Amino acid sequence: IGTAAGFVFKYWIMPLADTPSYMPWIFTGIAAVYLFGCVVMCLMVKEGKYPPLPEDQKHLTPWKGVVVFCRECFCSDSFYWWIFICVAMNNVSMLCRSIYNILFATETLGMSVEVYGKYIGDGALVGMFISVPLGLLVDKFHPIRVYAAGMLLVIISNFYGYYFVTDASSFRIITILLTIVYAIQWASHLPLLIALFPKERYGQFCSAASIFNSLIMIVAPL
């Protein structure tokens, strides 16, 4: 569903970005959709029952709770640091490429925003159709193997893109290739975390990974 929404945006809304008067409406519309989604999630998604807190944690102050959180997530085992770093660096590679992708297409290759949007939309359409088979692939071969294979393919695809993309046609090819390899990454991302994080503290370690990822993402665009 998310990929389909991306396809609709890139195919029909992104071309409007060439007209400055549409930009405020595009940003406002995106914000409204995001707000609607968050409100619906908060109202409709209900969490299950949690076991009672251990006796030694019942009287923790907020500050002591933060200390316990950091100690358990960041100081318990270096293994989790490798996961945090691996996922964050992979996200950084995608962020940095995305920031300059449209500039490279429009300013270096001379493509219009409309053509760029349709090429990216083609990639999103491919990603939408391969999502289910990729999920089956993750279940069959284990998310760690699929994620690692995806990372290797990301390196190869970006290497090819840097040296061999010289016009709109080759840009379209690399766009579809990168969509496929990043779809592999996204299909195996959450299963990877489920497989590697402690089951009884999965949400806690996911939040720690998000904190670390957000800090890295602040630095990477700079």
Side-chain angles (χ1 to χ4, degrees):
I1 289 172
T3 306
F7 167 75
V8 170
F9 175 82
K10 289 156 186 168
Y11 235 79
W12 286 288
I13 299 178
M14 184 173 281
L16 301 176
D18 264 341
T19 308
S21 60
Y22 283 118
M23 288 298 288
W25 293 104
I26 293 174
F27 280 108
T28 304
I30 292 172
V33 171
Y34 190 85
L35 177 63
F36 174 78
C38 286
V39 171
V40 170
M41 180 178 66
C42 291
L43 293 177
M44 303 301 294
V45 178
K46 304 299 180 185
E47 295 192 71
K49 300 293 183 182
Y50 292 96
L53 285 173
E55 288 297 326
D56 60 342
Q57 294 186 14
K58 283 185 177 180
H59 304 293
L60 286 179
T61 63
W63 171 246
K64 288 183 178 179
V66 170
V67 172
V68 171
F69 172 90
C70 292
R71 185 173 64 241
E72 290 180 349
C73 294
F74 299 114
C75 303
S76 59
D77 194 327
S78 61
F79 171 74
Y80 298 117
W81 270 104
W82 288 110
I83 302 173
F84 297 155
I85 293 170
C86 172
V87 172
M89 290 297 101
N90 192 55
N91 291 339
V92 163
S93 78
M94 183 166 57
L95 174 69
C96 294
R97 183 186 59 81
S98 299
I99 288 175
Y100 289 101
N101 212 21
I102 188 169
L103 298 177
F104 175 71
T106 56
E107 296 184 9
T108 303
L109 299 182
M111 296 166 54
S112 68
V113 174
E114 180 177 2
V115 172
Y116 170 79
K118 290 190 183 305
Y119 284 2
I120 299 295
D122 290 341
L125 191 62
V126 173
M128 184 171 64
F129 282 107
I130 65 174
S131 293
V132 172
L134 284 175
L136 299 173
L137 197 70
V138 170
D139 289 340
K140 182 174 179 60
F141 292 105
H142 200 281
I144 296 178
R145 295 190 181 97
V146 176
Y147 194 83
M151 293 179 72
L152 180 62
L153 291 173
V154 165
I155 295 170
I156 294 172
S157 300
N158 280 311
F159 182 85
Y160 169 83
Y162 184 82
Y163 286 103
F164 298 106
V165 173
T166 56
D167 54 20
S169 298
S170 54
F171 181 84
R172 190 175 197 177
I173 293 171
I174 195 62
T175 296
I176 294 175
L177 285 176
L178 283 169
T179 299
I180 293 172
V181 298
Y182 278 114
I184 294 172
Q185 296 283 271
W186 284 114
S188 55
H189 176 245
L190 284 179
L192 174 83
L193 300 185
I194 292 171
L196 298 180
F197 285 161
K199 298 292 185 293
E200 70 280 2
R201 289 182 289 166
Y202 174 71
Q204 176 182 332
F205 274 78
C206 276
S207 64
S210 295
I211 291 170
F212 183 84
N213 184 75
S214 296
L215 292 173
I216 296 297
M217 289 297 209
I218 291 171
V219 177
L222 297 176

